[in-house]
C-alpha cells in the first residue's frame, strides 16, 4: 500500500516567496533542496525582483505567469501566502513539500541538522494508522512497533496523504497568544510522528507540510481570505481552513494525516500586537469553522478529492454563508479551484 | 490561555494511593523510595496467600492477599482475578483516596536524556491536575506545559479543556509488545524518549497499559475494572486493555480526558513470549470483534454516572459479545458484580454529586 521509496523525480518543492531576497533561505536549505526540482511562486503583491542563488533546478512564477495561466479574475486566489497553491496547481509531480520562506533547517536533540525533506517523504511513504491510537506513536519508525492490544487487522494502515511538520523557535501561535507571551520560544524537540485519528480535527499549519498531490492536491484549497489578510502568518487562516478540508476528505477517502516530525527552525518577525488588529477576525471565525468541519459528512458518491471539494463548497454556502460573507467567497473560491484543477492540473502523470 | 506559572507540583500525599500487585517481592521500592515514601501503598498480593511478601522498611502500606479479598468481598470476590496482576483493581476498590497510581513491580526509575532521574509520580500528578483537550487536537501537544501553548487555529472556546481522568505513562527499555511481536523482535528496546504529553482525542480508542498508570478515582474509578483473567480464565494480558476500552468510551461520554505520553519508567523485565502467546492467543482473535464493539458503543443520555455507564456497557457486552464466546457472558456478569462491590465498599457520602457529566 505504501511507497517502497520515493525518488527525487516524484517530488516538487514549492516555495511561496513573500520576501524578495531568498538568498539566505535557499543557501541554508541547499544541501537538502539540491536534488529536487523547485517551484518558486512570487507573491503577486511583492514589488521587488526575487533574488535567488545559483545552482538549483527551478521554475519561477510571478504575477504575469499566474494571470496567464488562470486568467486575471481568478488570479486573486493566489495572493500572499496563497501564492503557493499556484505552485501546487502547475506541478506535475506526485509529492509536494512546502515550507515558508522564513524557515530554516532545524537541529535535533543531538545537534544534528534535520533533513526535513527526507523526514516528510518518510512520513508519506509509510502507512498511517488513523483507526486506533498507537501509544508508541509511529509504529513504522525504527525501534518502534505496534503495542500490545493493537488489533492486527489494523496494522497495515492506510496511505498517508498529508504530513504536517512542526517549528522550533517561533511556534505557530495566534496573535493573541504570542502578544501575551512575547518571549516564548518553542525549544522542545518532540521526537515523534503520529497519525491524527480519524474524525479528529487538527489546525494544519501551512508553514511546514508535505502531501501526495495526486491524491489530495485538489483538497488543499486557497479559499478562506480574511478581510484584512496580511503578510504574516498571524494575519491569515487560509491554511487552517485548507487543512480542515483536507482532513475531512482524508477521513472520507480512507487516507491518513500525520503530525509531528520534521521540525524546521522558524525565524521571528513581525509584531503580534500589531497583527492582533488583523487576526482577530480569524480567531473569531474559528468558533464557527470548527463545529462546521467536525459535523461535515460527505456523500458516499464523492470518491475523489475534486468531488469532495465540490460537495464541501455547496455545504459551506448553505451552512456558513449566512454567518459571514467571507464564507460565501470561500465557497466560490473552492468551486473555482476545482475548475482550475480540472483544466490546468489534470494533465498530471 | 494556558497557565505559564511554574509553581511546584503539589505532593497530594494524603490524596493519592499507590497500588502495586505482586507475587514476588517489593525490592524495587528501594529505588522508588525518594519518590514514593510520602505515600500510602496498597499492595495486592497475587498467587499463593501463604507466602509472605516483605515490604522494605519505612513505607506506610496495607497488604491484601487472596484470603483478604475473599473475606472482604464474600461471594463478590469472584469478580477479582486470581493468579493475574488484574487483581490490582481490588486495590482501587478498597482505596479511600481521590487518586491512584499503579505500577508494576518490574518497573524502575528511568532517566531522561539529560541523565536526570524521572519522578514519574510527580508527572502523573501534573497530568491529572491540569485539563485535557480531547475535542480538538493541539499540534504542539499538551498546551498547558511550560513553554507550550495552543496553536493558531485552536478555538478559544475549547481552551479551558476538560477534567483529566487518566494519565497513561510509557516505558523505556522493554516495550509493551504483544507476544507475536516479542517473538519476532526479542531484542528490540524502546530507547526513544518522546518529550510529550497529549490528550487522546474523543472518539479514539487506545491500548491502555496498566504498568505505569494514574487516574482520578472520583472521576473514573468504577470503570477501572481489570476483568477476568488468569486462573480458570481463557485469556490473560487483556486486563488493562479491557479496562482502557471501557474507560475511554465512558470518558468520551462524560466529557473527561485521557492523556498519554510522559512520564516514562524503565521496564526491566521481559516476560516469556511463549507464555504470553498462550495467554493472549484467544484475545488476538477476539479483539477483532471487541474493537468494533467499543468503537460503536454508545451510552444513553441518562447514564450520568460512571456506575450507570458501566452497567449499561455490561448489558451491551452481554448482548453483543456473548456470541463471540461464552466468556463474555461471564465477564458481563463480573462487570456488574464489580460495580455492586464498588458501591458497597464506597457508599456515596452525603451531599456527593454525580461524577462527570453526560
Amino acid at each position: 500500500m505504501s511507497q517502497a521509496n520515493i525518488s527525487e523525480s516524484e517530488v516538487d518543492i514549492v516555495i511561496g516567496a513573500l520576501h524578495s531576497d531568498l538568498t539566505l533561505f535557499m543557501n541554508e536549505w541547499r544541501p537538502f533542496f539540491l536534488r529536487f526540482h523547485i517551484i518558486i511562486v512570487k507573491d503577486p503583491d511583492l514589488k521587488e525582483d526575487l533574488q535567488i542563488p545559483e545552482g538549483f533546478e527551478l521554475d519561477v512564477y510571478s504575477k504575469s505567469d499566474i494571470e496567464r495561466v488562470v486568467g486575471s479574475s481568478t488570479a486573486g486566489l493566489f495572493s500572499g501566502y496563497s501564492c503557493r497553491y499556484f505552485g501546487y496547481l502547475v506541478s506535475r509531480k506526485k509529492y509536494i513539500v512546502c515550507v515558508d520562506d522564513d524557515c530554516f533547517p532545524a537541529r535535533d536533540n543531538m545537534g544534528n541538522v534535520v533533513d526535513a525533506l527526507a523526514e516528510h517523504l518518510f512520513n508519506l511513504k509509510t502507512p498511517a494508522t488513523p483507526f486506533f491510537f498507537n501509544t508508541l506513536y509511529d509504529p513504522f519508525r525504527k525501534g518502534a512497533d505496534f503495542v500490545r492490544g493493537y488489533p492486527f487487522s489494523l496494522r497495515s494502515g492506510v496511505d498517508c496523504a498529508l504530513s504536517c511538520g512542526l517549528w522550533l523557535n517561533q511556534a505557530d501561535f495566534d496573535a493573541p497568544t504570542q502578544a501575551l507571551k512575547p518571549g516564548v520560544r518553542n525549544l522542545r524537540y518532540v521526537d515523534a510522528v503520529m497519525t491524527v485519528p480519524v474524525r479528529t480535527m487538527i489546525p494544519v499549519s501551512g508553514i511546514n507540510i508535505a502531501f501526495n498531490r495526486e491524491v489530495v492536491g485538489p483538497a488543499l484549497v486557497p479559499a478562506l481570505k480574511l478581510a484584512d489578510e496580511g503578510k504574516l502568518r498571524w494575519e491569515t487562516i487560509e491554511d487552517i481552513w485548507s487543512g480542515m478540508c483536507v482532513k475531512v476528505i482524508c477521513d472520507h477517502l480512507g487516507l491518513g494525516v500525520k503530525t509531528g516530525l520534521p521540525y524546521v527552525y522558524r525565524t521571528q518577525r513581525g509584531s503580534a500586537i500589531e497583527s492582533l488588529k488583523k487576526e482577530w477576525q480569524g480567531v473569531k471565525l474559528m468558533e464557527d469553522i470548527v463545529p462546521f468541519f467536525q459535523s461535515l459528512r460527505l456523500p458516499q458518491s464523492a470518491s475523489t478529492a475534486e468531488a469532495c471539494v465540490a460537495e464541501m463548497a455547496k455545504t459551506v454556502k448553505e451552512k456558513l454563508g449566512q454567518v459571514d460573507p467571507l464564507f460565501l467567497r470561500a465557497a466560490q473560491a473552492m468551486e473555482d479551484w476545482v475548475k482550475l484543477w480540472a483544466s490546468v492540473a489534470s494533465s498530471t502523470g | 490561555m494556558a497557565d505559564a506559572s511554574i509553581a511546584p507540583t503539589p505532593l497530594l500525599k494524603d490524596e493519592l494511593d499507590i497500588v502495586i500487585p505482586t507475587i514476588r517481592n517489593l525490592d524495587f521500592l528501594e529505588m522508588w523510595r525518594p519518590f514514593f515514601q510520602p505515600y500510602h501503598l496498597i499492595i495486592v498480593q497475587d498467587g499463593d496467600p501463604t507466602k509472605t511478601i516483605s515490604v522494605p522498611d519505612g513505607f506506610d502500606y496495607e497488604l491484601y492477599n487472596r484470603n483478604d479479598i475473599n473475606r472482604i468481598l464474600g461471594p463478590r470476590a469472584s469478580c477479582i482475578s486470581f493468579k493475574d496482576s488484574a487483581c490490582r483493581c481490588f486495590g482501587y476498590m478498597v482505596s479511600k483516596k481521590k487518586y491512584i497510581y499503579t505500577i508494576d513491580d518490574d518497573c524502575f526509575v528511568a532517566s531522561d536524556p539529560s541523565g536526570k532521574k524521572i519522578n514519574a509520580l510527580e508527572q502523573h500528578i501534573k497530568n491529572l491536575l491540569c485539563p485535557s483537550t480531547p475535542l480538538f487536537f493541539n499540534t504542539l501537544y499538551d498546551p498547558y506545559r511550560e513553554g507550550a501553548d495552543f496553536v493558531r487555529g485552536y478555538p478559544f472556546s475549547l481552551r479551558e479543556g476538560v477534567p483529566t481522568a487518566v494519565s497513561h505513562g510509557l516505558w523505556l527499555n522493554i516495550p509493551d509488545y504483544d507476544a507475536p511481536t516479542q517473538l519476532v523482535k526479542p531484542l528490540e528496546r524502546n530507547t526513544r524518549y518522546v518529550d510529550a504529553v497529549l490528550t487522546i482525542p474523543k472518539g479514539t480508542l487506545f491500548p491502555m497499559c496498566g504498568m505505569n498508570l494514574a487516574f482520578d478515582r472520583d472521576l473514573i474509578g468504577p470503570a477501572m475494572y481489570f476483568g477476568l483473567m488468569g486462573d480458570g480464565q481463557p485469556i490473560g494480558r487483556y486486563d488493562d486493555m479491557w479496562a482502557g476500552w471501557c474507560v475511554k468510551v465512558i470518558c468520551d461520554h462524560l466529557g473527561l480526558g485521557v492523556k498519554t505520553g510522559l512520564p516514562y519508567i524503565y521496564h526491566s523485565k521481559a516476560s516469556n513470549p511463549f507464555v504470553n502467546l498462550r495467554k493472549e492467543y484467544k484475545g488476538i482473535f477476539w479483539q477483532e470483534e471487541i474493537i468494533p464493539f467499543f468503537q460503536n458503543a454508545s451510552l444513553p443520555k441518562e447514564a450520568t454516572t460512571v456506575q450507570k455507564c458501566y452497567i449499561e456497557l455490561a448489558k451491551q457486552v452481554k448482548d453483543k459479545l456473548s456470541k463471540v464466546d461464552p466468556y463474555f457472558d461471564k465477564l458481563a456478569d463480573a462487570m456488574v458484580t464489580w460495580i455492586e462491590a464498588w458501591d458497597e465498599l464506597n457508599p456515596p457520602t452525603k451531599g456527593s454529586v454525580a461524577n462527570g457529566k453526560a
Side-chain angles (χ1 to χ4, degrees):
Chain A
M1 221 185 232
S2 57
Q3 290 290 303
N5 243 307
I6 296 180
S7 89
E8 287 91 56
S9 60
E10 297 178 272
V11 182
D12 262 338
I13 299 174
V14 172
I15 305 295
L18 270 72
H19 300 93
S20 53
D21 189 352
L22 296 177
T23 316
L24 183 62
F25 173 79
M26 296 295 286
N27 280 333
E28 289 290 309
W29 282 104
R30 188 183 289 269
F32 309 112
F33 277 13
L34 217 44
R35 59 191 180 107
F36 297 102
H37 175 254
I38 304 170
I39 292 177
I40 297 183
V41 186
K42 183 179 165 193
D43 174 9
D45 299 330
L46 192 58
K47 299 285 176 272
E48 299 83 8
D49 287 337
L50 289 183
Q51 293 171 64
I52 302 168
E54 299 284 312
F56 295 96
E57 190 203 327
L58 42 80
D59 285 306
V60 183
Y61 298 90
S62 55
K63 185 172 178 187
S64 51
D65 300 303
I66 297 174
E67 287 176 345
R68 179 177 41 83
V69 173
V70 307
S72 51
S73 55
T74 339
L77 281 179
F78 303 107
S79 72
Y81 281 102
S82 296
C83 62
R84 63 187 53 204
Y85 293 92
F86 182 79
Y88 306 163
L89 192 64
V90 298
S91 165
R92 290 290 170 265
K93 301 293 173 68
K94 180 168 178 179
Y95 300 99
I96 301 249
V97 181
C98 186
V99 168
D100 275 9
D101 66 1
D102 57 3
C103 293
F104 298 92
R107 283 183 189 271
D108 66 17
N109 288 326
M110 297 289 121
N112 301 317
V113 182
V114 170
D115 182 350
L117 276 306
E119 291 191 7
H120 271 306
L121 296 178
F122 177 82
N123 291 347
L124 290 174
K125 79 171 190 211
T126 49
T129 51
F131 304 114
F132 204 77
F133 190 88
N134 193 45
T135 49
L136 278 188
Y137 313 110
D138 183 359
F140 299 99
R141 276 187 88 191
K142 191 152 170 271
D145 212 309
F146 291 96
V147 296
R148 175 175 58 99
Y150 203 105
F152 277 79
S153 62
L154 297 180
R155 294 191 189 199
S156 41
V158 298
D159 282 343
C160 178
L162 176 67
S163 165
C164 307
L166 293 173
W167 346 269
L168 289 174
N169 193 48
Q170 176 105 324
D172 192 12
F173 293 142
D174 52 44
T177 306
Q178 193 78 75
L180 272 158
K181 292 174 158 187
V184 165
R185 298 288 172 265
N186 186 23
L187 304 173
R188 189 175 288 127
Y189 184 95
V190 177
D191 190 3
V193 185
M194 62 195 81
T195 299
V196 184
V198 70
R199 284 181 305 277
T200 295
M201 288 295 117
I202 95 171
V204 174
S205 163
I207 294 174
N208 171 19
I209 58 167
F211 58 96
N212 182 328
R213 186 187 163 277
E214 261 175 27
V215 174
V216 293
L220 278 92
V221 295
L224 193 68
K225 265 197 192 333
L226 296 179
D228 262 332
E229 188 178 81
K231 307 298 183 187
L232 294 168
R233 277 290 183 193
W234 292 315
E235 299 166 351
T236 70
I237 53 167
E238 53 84 12
D239 48 350
I240 310 292
W241 176 270
S242 176
M244 301 248 184
C245 292
V246 178
K247 184 57 166 59
V248 169
I249 290 173
C250 282
D251 286 351
H252 177 75
L253 297 178
L255 300 166
V257 174
K258 293 184 184 175
T259 185
L261 302 181
Y263 280 87
V264 296
Y265 183 94
R266 188 166 174 242
T267 54
Q268 195 213 335
R269 55 192 191 94
S271 155
I273 294 178
E274 283 302 307
S275 296
L276 255 179
K277 299 179 207 150
K278 294 182 179 174
E279 210 221 348
W280 189 244
Q281 187 193 29
V283 165
K284 199 156 108 355
L285 289 175
M286 287 311 298
E287 298 298 332
D288 299 299
I289 292 172
V290 169
F292 169 76
F293 279 101
Q294 278 174 335
S295 58
L296 185 53
R297 296 286 178 267
L298 295 165
Q300 272 296 94
S301 50
S303 57
T304 62
E306 290 94 324
C308 290
V309 176
E311 278 300 321
M312 274 185 166
K314 272 193 232 145
T315 319
V316 169
K317 214 181 275 192
E318 273 168 37
K319 301 228 169 109
L320 289 177
Q322 286 99 311
V323 175
D324 196 302
L326 209 89
F327 292 122
L328 284 175
R329 288 196 285 278
Q332 186 59 53
M334 288 164 80
E335 285 174 11
D336 292 343
W337 176 250
V338 174
K339 293 199 190 97
L340 270 181
W341 197 271
S343 62
V344 178
S346 59
S347 49
T348 188
Chain B
M1 180 61 113
D3 186 3
S5 80
I6 44 167
T9 312
L11 261 187
L12 299 185
K13 69 176 179 64
D14 296 320
E15 297 172 73
L16 184 146
D17 274 339
I18 303 178
V19 172
I20 308 168
T22 188
I23 55 167
R24 295 172 269 246
N25 59 66
L26 293 166
D27 295 347
F28 87 119
L29 281 178
E30 267 319 322
M31 168 184 293
W32 286 100
R33 190 184 286 277
F35 306 125
F36 285 6
Q37 190 143 347
Y39 299 90
H40 179 71
L41 312 181
I42 295 180
I43 301 175
V44 185
Q45 178 184 344
D46 193 20
D48 183 1
T50 64
K51 261 187 75 174
T52 314
I53 303 284
S54 75
V55 184
D57 285 332
F59 285 98
D60 168 42
Y61 70 95
E62 52 197 290
L63 186 147
Y64 299 93
N65 62 28
R66 191 72 208 182
N67 297 337
D68 300 313
I69 295 173
N70 290 339
R71 177 177 45 83
I72 293 171
L73 294 185
R76 295 205 178 111
S78 59
C79 75
I80 303 295
S81 303
F82 183 47
K83 293 220 180 122
D84 194 285
S85 64
C87 65
R88 72 176 80 208
C89 63
F90 177 78
Y92 310 157
M93 194 193 276
V94 298
S95 165
K96 298 280 167 268
K97 304 286 173 58
K98 181 164 164 66
Y99 301 100
I100 297 276
Y101 174 46
T102 184
I103 183 172
D104 280 12
D105 63 8
D106 60 354
C107 292
F108 298 170
V109 177
S111 297
D112 70 18
S114 75
K116 178 162 169 250
K117 298 240 177 277
I118 299 170
N119 182 347
L121 187 46
E122 184 184 55
Q123 182 66 53
H124 276 299
I125 291 173
K126 273 198 186 120
N127 293 348
L128 289 172
L129 290 182
C130 86
S132 297
T133 51
L135 301 174
F136 200 69
F137 193 93
N138 194 45
T139 47
L140 275 190
Y141 314 111
D142 183 351
Y144 305 101
R145 271 187 93 190
E146 210 201 309
D149 212 310
F150 290 98
V151 296
R152 177 174 55 102
Y154 204 105
F156 272 76
S157 61
L158 296 180
R159 294 192 187 199
E160 259 182 42
V162 301
T164 303
V166 180
S167 168
H168 177 262
L170 295 175
W171 348 271
L172 291 171
N173 195 45
I174 309 284
D176 189 23
Y177 289 161
D178 53 46
T181 310
Q182 275 181 293
L183 284 164
V184 170
K185 297 175 156 189
L187 300 177
E188 187 150 273
R189 299 288 175 264
N190 185 23
T191 55
R192 186 174 290 126
Y193 184 91
V194 177
D195 191 3
V197 184
L198 56 136
T199 300
I200 301 185
K202 180 175 175 178
T204 300
L205 291 176
F206 77 115
M208 185 178 85
C209 173
M211 263 198 266
N212 173 23
L213 180 73
F215 59 93
D216 185 322
R217 207 174 147 277
D218 285 352
L219 288 182
I220 198 67
M224 280 286 183
Y225 174 48
F226 271 39
L228 290 173
M229 306 280 143
D231 212 42
Q233 306 298 343
I235 190 176
R237 286 170 55 86
Y238 272 88
D239 51 336
D240 41 6
M241 297 296 136
W242 183 263
W245 298 324
C246 293
V247 160
K248 189 58 167 58
V249 168
I250 293 175
C251 282
D252 286 352
H253 176 77
L254 294 178
L256 302 169
V258 174
K259 291 184 181 175
T260 186
L262 302 182
Y264 283 89
I265 49 85
Y266 183 93
H267 186 207
S268 66
K269 203 168 173 297
S271 39
N272 183 310
F274 296 100
V275 171
N276 289 344
L277 189 56
R278 251 178 275 132
K279 290 181 185 176
E280 291 173 13
Y281 177 77
K282 292 213 163 127
I284 288 175
F285 296 94
W286 291 349
Q287 138 191 298
E288 298 296 332
E289 312 269 355
I290 296 172
I291 298 301
F293 165 77
F294 281 105
Q295 281 171 334
N296 296 310
S298 81
L299 296 166
K301 240 180 36 237
E302 300 76 40
T304 51
T305 65
V306 178
Q307 287 91 325
K308 286 196 187 127
C309 290
Y310 203 75
I311 297 287
E312 176 59 35
L313 261 185
K315 267 197 225 124
Q316 293 181 21
V317 168
K318 202 182 258 271
D319 282 341
K320 304 205 173 130
L321 290 179
S322 299
K323 60 180 172 5
V324 175
D325 192 277
Y327 166 77
F328 290 100
D329 202 50
K330 266 195 339 177
L331 180 57
D333 289 339
M335 288 167 76
V336 175
T337 306
W338 159 265
I339 294 293
E340 288 169 358
W342 182 283
D343 281 345
E344 196 187 308
L345 260 55
N346 299 283
T349 52
K350 221 153 73 137
S352 71
V353 287
N355 42 12
K357 58 187 197 294

